[in-house]
Amino acid sequence: MTHPKSAKQTARWQPITLTLIAALMGIGQNGLLVSLPLLVAQGGFSLSTWAVIIAVGSVLFLPAAPFWDGSATNMVLSLWSCKH
């Protein structure tokens, strides 16, 4: 059973949490793109290899998103139940 007050709190905090997660992902991707010239200059991979690595990571994220959603939800619920 879900307590009405906890359901209301979850509904309130869910959009904020999703916004913060999206912002962190964007910062991470931007950091990777900004550091790309340094990675090419210092690393052993060419620009095209780095582009493929980044693209594969982005493509793999799409089908994995439902899995992460379920895992994150279960983790949050288990942490929440431990505190209460």
Side-chain angles (χ1 to χ4, degrees), residues 10 12-13 15 30 36 38 40 45 48-49 57 60 62 76 81:
T10 301
R12 190 180 107 203
W13 286 104
N30 285 334
L36 193 55
L38 180 65
V40 171
F45 299 122
S48 59
T49 305
L60 290 177
L62 293 174
V76 168
S81 65

Side-chain angles (χ1 to χ4, degrees), residues 7 13-14 33 37 57 71:
W13 286 104
Q14 189 174 14
L33 292 175
S71 296

